[in-house]
Amino acid sequence: MHKCISRLKENVGYKGRLNHPARQNLRTVPINLCNKKYHLQYSPYSYYNEHCIIFSDKHEAMQINKSTFDKNLDFVDQFPHYFIGSNADLPIVGGSILSHDHYQGGRYNFAMENAKVTSEFCIDGYEDVKVLIVKWPLSVLRLCSDDKYKISELANYILNHWKTYSDEYVDIYSHTGITCHNTITPIIRKKDDSYEIDLVLRNNKTSEIHPDGIFHPHKELHNIKKENIGLIEVLGLAVLPSRLKDELKIIKDYLLNEKDEKFIIEKVPIHINWIKYLKSKYSIFEESTIDKILKYEVGIVFKRVLEDCGVFKHNKTGEEARGRYIESLKKYVGVKNEI
């Protein structure tokens, strides 16, 4: 059985079996994106308002390329009140099933959309496309333009340049042999008559120090989140493991009732260092405020998770590396335009 059966058109009305749930009430809406047949369905997970999945009629692997931008732009022309985005097309940074071409969309305003812009620069030949640096834990370029064709073309140049870009000073390596490590998580919106494309730079290389990924949640944060960071998390919505629901109840019980540390070691040893941090930060825990404290502190960890995934950190070294990248990008696009 195909791995992505829950998203396939063949799954509509499926009665189920012992090892797979029924989909008898599932319905999809056929849509056309750049003369390609797709299907839209609302997600059974409903992580946010009108969370939908748009998947190809054909069984084709995910791939981020010029066609991705064109089809996503076509989608927001048809559904201007929705955003659309794609998980990256490489393991570790993909965060989703890579074996079937699909996107996610919906009617929701994510935190990244509202993030401040730190700077703007221009690329020769694309003066009618604004290129903005977004202040976000991950590394985001935001393109804004009324010209759908120009913005798609520039997005593709940025993608192709990033696929071959390396900077050893900040552990960015585009390839190991023939294995590609760089890709992009794209998000597209339409605002009035203007198009907006967020290009999130991703890299999936691993190392001895970070065997799960250099730009992946680091080990000290795995008590809260160790899974891949996909599209939804990139946008700022924390999709956390279900185990946390019970684990946070245990932590709450421990902190409120001042139980012996053995209680934590036996119940949730993965959180021992985090609990020590909480106890050192807060002098007292009360029933009326502890839920708010735990929610806030989980959010702090999630922010650090996203920072781990950013290829250009928000520090002196990272900003210098970002500057080198921008100059390289400008040169690359300029050379391409001369050909």
Side-chain angles (χ1 to χ4, degrees):
M1 187 65 69
H2 202 283
K3 280 180 69 177
C4 52
I5 186 170
S6 63
R7 292 179 185 152
L8 300 182
K9 64 182 187 295
E10 292 88 352
N11 210 32
V12 172
Y14 183 64
K15 293 182 179 180
R17 61 181 190 274
L18 288 176
N19 62 346
H20 189 82
R23 294 286 188 268
Q24 289 164 309
N25 62 347
L26 174 64
R27 297 294 181 270
T28 68
V29 179
I31 61 173
N32 187 298
L33 300 178
C34 294
N35 297 316
K36 299 288 185 180
K37 191 174 181 181
Y38 279 76
H39 299 264
L40 184 151
Q41 74 169 73
Y42 285 100
S43 171
Y45 306 109
S46 192
Y47 285 129
Y48 49 84
N49 187 45
E50 297 182 39
H51 179 190
C52 60
I53 300 168
I54 303 97
F55 57 92
S56 173
D57 187 69
K58 294 182 178 180
H59 295 294
E60 297 175 332
M62 286 181 63
Q63 189 174 5
I64 306 298
N65 53 29
K66 177 71 162 55
S67 177
T68 305
F69 303 127
D70 291 339
K71 286 182 286 190
N72 284 193
L73 288 163
D74 192 6
F75 179 86
V76 296
D77 274 340
Q78 298 179 54
F79 303 90
H81 54 301
Y82 277 10
F83 82 92
I84 187 171
S86 175
N87 275 296
D89 55 353
L90 293 178
I92 298 177
V93 295
S96 188
I97 295 170
L98 302 180
S99 58
H100 196 97
D101 178 25
H102 71 283
Y103 312 111
Q104 295 185 73
R107 193 171 190 170
Y108 191 76
N109 184 261
F110 287 91
M112 191 173 84
E113 184 178 349
N114 302 322
K116 293 180 180 179
V117 170
T118 59
S119 61
E120 177 180 342
F121 63 93
C122 184
I123 294 180
D124 289 345
Y126 294 89
E127 289 79 5
D128 48 355
V129 181
K130 288 184 180 179
V131 186
L132 312 173
I133 303 296
V134 180
K135 187 178 182 181
W136 192 246
L138 288 101
S139 305
V140 185
L141 292 179
R142 176 168 294 164
L143 311 184
C144 304
S145 179
D146 296 338
D147 190 327
K148 179 166 69 172
Y149 304 101
K150 277 282 190 179
I151 197 173
S152 175
E153 191 174 77
L154 181 55
N156 191 51
Y157 273 139
I158 293 171
L159 169 66
N160 289 334
H161 171 260
W162 175 245
K163 281 184 174 181
T164 61
Y165 184 78
S166 295
D167 187 339
E168 62 183 18
Y169 295 105
V170 286
D171 290 327
I172 296 172
Y173 296 91
S174 68
H175 288 79
T176 300
I178 61 171
T179 301
C180 180
H181 296 302
N182 287 354
T183 187
I184 277 176
T185 300
I187 302 100
I188 296 181
R189 313 173 191 91
K190 191 171 185 180
K191 297 188 174 180
D192 297 323
D193 293 325
S194 183
Y195 300 95
E196 187 173 277
I197 301 181
D198 284 351
L199 302 173
V200 186
L201 307 178
R202 312 297 302 274
N203 176 285
N204 78 343
K205 194 175 187 307
T206 60
S207 68
E208 287 187 16
I209 299 174
H210 301 296
D212 297 310
I214 298 169
F215 302 103
H216 178 84
H218 291 172
K219 189 174 182 179
E220 65 270 18
L221 307 178
H222 285 186
N223 63 308
I224 300 297
K225 177 75 173 179
K226 67 177 181 179
E227 295 79 11
N228 295 349
I229 300 304
L231 172 67
I232 297 172
E233 293 99 335
V234 163
L235 286 162
L237 183 62
V239 180
L240 301 172
S242 58
R243 61 176 171 80
L244 274 181
K245 186 175 182 180
D246 290 332
E247 290 171 0
L248 289 173
K249 287 180 181 177
I250 293 170
I251 293 170
K252 176 181 175 180
D253 182 26
Y254 168 77
L255 294 173
L256 283 177
N257 298 301
E258 299 182 356
K259 294 190 175 183
D260 190 276
E261 193 173 280
K262 289 182 180 179
F263 176 80
I264 285 297
I265 294 173
E266 291 174 0
K267 298 283 187 179
V268 283
I270 192 174
H271 292 292
I272 188 69
N273 290 332
W274 189 54
I275 291 169
K276 287 179 179 178
Y277 152 78
L278 293 175
K279 291 179 72 175
S280 68
K281 183 174 180 179
Y282 299 93
S283 58
I284 189 170
F285 296 95
E286 297 178 343
E287 184 73 45
S288 60
T289 58
I290 191 165
D291 288 332
K292 186 176 180 180
I293 288 172
L294 290 176
K295 184 177 181 180
Y296 173 78
E297 291 295 338
V298 167
I300 293 295
V301 174
F302 181 66
K303 179 175 180 288
R304 289 179 58 198
V305 162
L306 296 185
E307 288 170 345
D308 282 349
C309 298
V311 293
F312 300 121
K313 310 303 183 188
H314 290 286
N315 54 32
K316 186 174 184 293
T317 301
E319 294 303 333
E320 289 174 351
R322 194 193 312 273
R324 292 192 296 272
Y325 162 73
I326 290 171
E327 290 307 310
S328 175
L329 173 63
K330 288 179 178 179
K331 184 177 180 180
Y332 173 87
V333 177
V335 170
K336 289 292 182 181
N337 281 333
E338 290 174 5
I339 296 175

